[in-house]
Amino acid sequence: MIKTTVRDDDPIHHSTDCLVLFCLEEKKPAGLLKELDGRLKGTISSAFENKVFEGKPNQTFWVNTLGALGAKHLLLTGLGKAREMNGEKIRQAAGTAAKLAEKSKSKTLSFAVREGALARIKHPCPGETEPDPACPVAEGSYLALYRFDHYKSKSAEGEENADVRSVESIVLLVARAQHRAVERAAERAAKIASAVVTARDLISHPSNTATPTYLADTARAIAKKHKIACKILDRKEMEKLGMGALLGVARGSHEPPAFIVLEYFGAGKTQPPVVIVGKGITFDTGGISLKPPANMDEMKMDMSGGAATLGTLQAVASLKVKANVVGIVPATENMPGGSAIKPGDILKSMSGKTIEVLNTDAEGRLVLADALAYAARYKPKAIIDLATLTGACIVALGHLAAAVIGSDEKLIRKLSDSAGITGERIWELPLWPEHEKAIKSDIADLKNISGPAFGAGTITGAAFLKAFAGDFPWAHLDIAGTAWTGEAGPYQAKGATGFGVRLLLHYIESGAGRKKS
Ligand code: BES
Ligand code: MN
Ligand code: ZN
């Protein structure tokens, strides 16, 4: 993560390339802003008067201080109305400011975290695990400054292609005491952002790098670094367990599949864990039910659920959360080939249930079927699966929310609460008995698709998964639309989002330290 220091300089004299001050939406500058306005000869008050800057969410105003302040540039960034304030607004504003500072070639970026708007609201980030606003400030900046440039050659110095980064260090300014509190908040933010970056990197790597073996190696590295348990089952061990659904999908590929299990026990061995299951299709061609060529490259992101699972385990382990969490990632490619499964083939899953595969492109639910059956071994307090499962989910909710479907109202409500706080939105879709009936096969127990008469394919996918989740409280997140974005956001570059890591971390932390929910 970018080097970050906490200093108690006075913001007026603090020397930096860019000083960010967060502002509320109001009629005219108040507090420190008023003092700065005096030094800047009324620049700020005239911006307010002309409505060039009013403190609206993510609105910015860039001032060259020409020596009037210790900072070369002052960057006012809006947070909106005081009564609507929350951590997500702060994260977004900080991200917006960081991106602008980066674009303007600032090397040092300083945030006043105890001044301006942040000083004037008593609880600026309600619901966040960490109440200090320095946390969303740092988190938003780290995530905004993320770039995936592993494949840009850096040898040719000075050439266009040499992707030089500008922001080298971040300073969090605390005018008064509370130095240590801000330091702790920033450390937490760095751990969270690193976990999100783990997920984003895995998703961004092309499938010829990020193979099932690569996912397994990453899981091992996370386990080693944070001293948690890691088990990787190979094809033989999967055969022994009877994981015929996962192995069926893996048959078309020359890449060996991997069944990844990470175990983090932060609350003693007796409490049942939350099990997170993430779809780990490292490339989805559709198999014999081949996908059309347009945008097929994006199917390298079909392991986003698995990436978010590994990221979440990294987050909980690095933050030493007092909870038990298991992460499971069934990983394989979905390829056509001489040995690939064909439409009509019947597979026997680990649960014993047989599946008629009517479309080999509905492969996510097949690998998840065996992973969910494996999850039951833990007698979990809850099972949450994340999967880029259906294109239909993008039709329903676009890129703005993941779909959530589950068997337990309380679990869905808790996840929805965490979604609201972290800004990783989810929206519930129904699952009715008709949907479950629609996937009954004529010649096997289940079939992996149903007809169009039952509406959203997203629900069909969930109905199929439900058959394997047992009687444990279970929720399925279809992240097909949220795992990947064609449009940059305030703390988001184009491409992989790492969706799910912050949401699940919040969910787990909200239940941590307490007894069974
Ligand atoms: N990985 C895809 C879903 C997907 C599509 C994710 C676009 C992200 C962006 C999944 O395996 C798939 O192919 N689903 C099929 C299911 C269908 C055959 C029932 C789909 O959505 O078309
Ligand atoms: Mn598919
Ligand atoms: Zn897929």
Side-chain angles (χ1 to χ4, degrees):
M1 232 16 75
I2 297 170
K3 186 182 142 237
T4 304
T5 46
V6 178
R7 299 181 49 174
D8 29 25
D9 292 2
D10 152 21
I12 291 176
H13 300 105
H14 171 66
S15 155
T16 181
D17 290 332
C18 175
L19 171 66
V20 179
L21 184 66
F22 295 105
C23 307
L24 291 174
E25 186 171 338
E26 50 200 346
K27 295 276 175 308
K28 54 178 197 225
L32 175 65
L33 215 50
K34 217 161 128 186
E35 192 181 339
L36 293 173
D37 188 43
R39 291 181 180 257
L40 293 164
K41 303 200 166 65
T43 309
I44 300 173
S45 48
S46 97
F48 272 87
E49 269 158 38
N50 301 324
K51 298 194 187 311
V52 173
F53 179 81
E54 301 168 280
K56 293 209 160 107
N58 297 338
Q59 198 180 27
T60 55
F61 187 59
W62 180 263
V63 188
N64 189 331
T65 65
L66 300 172
L69 303 179
K72 282 195 190 129
H73 306 99
L74 173 67
L75 175 54
L76 303 183
T77 307
L79 282 179
K81 299 194 171 73
R83 65 188 134 79
E84 290 167 12
M85 197 53 48
N86 58 41
E88 176 60 7
K89 291 245 171 60
I90 300 172
R91 227 168 357 253
Q92 289 199 10
T96 304
K99 281 192 173 188
L100 196 57
E102 169 79 21
K103 220 171 130 191
S104 316
K105 306 262 180 278
S106 306
K107 284 197 166 129
T108 48
L109 166 61
S110 307
F111 288 95
V113 293
R114 288 289 190 277
E115 298 285 353
L118 299 182
R120 294 170 57 197
I121 307 169
K122 208 159 179 208
H123 300 293
C125 22
E128 296 276 339
T129 312
E130 166 60 64
D132 198 308
C135 187
V137 168
E139 204 179 299
S141 318
Y142 296 146
L143 293 176
L145 295 173
Y146 169 81
R147 262 197 264 174
F148 185 75
D149 53 12
H150 291 249
Y151 297 90
K152 296 250 188 203
S153 38
K154 299 202 172 70
S155 53
E157 207 169 309
E159 270 182 32
E160 279 296 292
N161 203 26
D163 214 0
V164 207
R165 286 159 191 261
S166 104
V167 174
E168 288 167 358
S169 80
I170 290 177
V171 180
L172 300 174
L173 281 188
V174 227
R176 283 164 249 135
Q178 297 174 28
H179 199 103
R180 188 64 201 122
V182 170
E183 231 158 46
R184 260 199 302 270
E187 279 160 22
R188 174 180 163 82
K191 285 174 184 165
I192 296 173
S194 301
V196 175
V197 165
T198 293
R200 285 184 182 177
D201 279 349
L202 284 172
I203 297 162
S204 305
H205 277 300
S207 73
N208 60 337
T209 297
T211 58
T213 307
Y214 185 93
L215 289 193
D217 290 343
T218 306
R220 276 195 200 95
I222 292 169
K224 189 165 176 220
K225 176 151 188 212
H226 301 289
K227 300 189 177 63
I228 64 175
C230 176
K231 222 174 0 190
I232 314 284
L233 309 186
D234 62 15
R235 199 192 297 268
K236 270 216 179 95
E237 292 162 293
M238 291 184 236
E239 274 164 9
K240 249 189 234 154
L241 290 172
M243 295 182 164
L246 167 51
L247 288 170
V249 176
R251 279 181 55 169
S253 172
H254 293 304
E255 283 295 334
F259 191 88
I260 303 165
V261 184
L262 281 176
E263 294 174 344
Y264 169 75
F265 284 91
K269 292 268 174 186
T270 54
Q271 268 195 51
V274 171
V275 179
I276 299 163
V277 178
K279 172 175 173 182
I281 298 294
T282 57
F283 198 83
D284 182 11
T285 64
I288 295 298
S289 313
L290 194 64
K291 284 184 183 297
N295 304 323
M296 204 207 269
D297 59 292
E298 284 184 11
M299 282 303 119
K300 68 173 183 180
M301 58 72 103
D302 213 17
M303 31 59 72
S304 297
T309 302
L310 299 187
T312 304
L313 266 289
Q314 179 185 324
V316 294
S318 66
L319 290 165
K320 301 192 168 63
V321 177
K322 286 193 175 59
N324 294 341
V325 188
V326 173
I328 300 178
V329 183
T332 176
E333 284 184 334
N334 183 26
M335 295 284 284
S339 311
I341 48 166
K342 303 166 291 295
D345 284 1
I346 295 179
L347 303 174
K348 186 165 183 193
S349 69
M350 180 178 161
S351 71
K353 289 190 172 127
T354 54
I355 304 162
E356 186 185 13
V357 180
L358 291 178
N359 189 321
T360 66
D361 198 10
E363 84 298 339
R365 61 201 73 181
L366 297 177
V367 304
L368 290 169
D370 284 337
L372 289 168
Y374 190 92
R377 293 178 145 205
Y378 290 93
K379 305 213 171 4
K381 149 170 145 178
I383 305 178
I384 302 163
D385 77 73
L386 296 113
T388 46
L389 205 72
T390 62
C393 183
I394 311 176
V395 178
L397 298 171
H399 299 279
L400 295 178
V404 61
I405 296 171
S407 63
D408 189 89
E409 246 177 70
K410 229 164 114 188
L411 175 58
I412 290 175
R413 204 178 55 236
K414 281 186 181 170
L415 285 169
S416 300
D417 289 347
S418 295
I421 287 159
T422 56
E424 297 197 316
R425 283 208 200 94
I426 64 175
W427 194 259
E428 189 179 2
L429 295 181
L431 204 181
W432 290 309
E434 287 90 334
H435 295 113
E436 293 177 67
K437 229 172 109 193
I439 49 165
K440 298 266 180 268
S441 158
D442 291 339
I443 60 166
D445 297 329
L446 297 163
K447 53 186 179 185
N448 75 335
I449 54 170
S450 72
F454 298 93
T458 307
I459 304 176
T460 307
F464 184 90
L465 297 179
K466 187 173 179 232
F468 298 90
D471 292 328
F472 303 100
W474 156 79
H476 157 65
L477 300 175
D478 194 330
I479 59 170
T482 50
W484 187 263
T485 176
E487 234 177 287
Y491 53 84
Q492 176 61 56
K494 267 199 230 172
T497 61
F499 183 98
V501 174
R502 294 184 304 108
L503 164 66
L504 290 182
L505 172 66
H506 189 276
Y507 161 78
I508 291 162
E509 283 190 316
S510 331
R514 272 184 252 147
K515 277 264 157 64
K516 204 178 154 187
S517 60

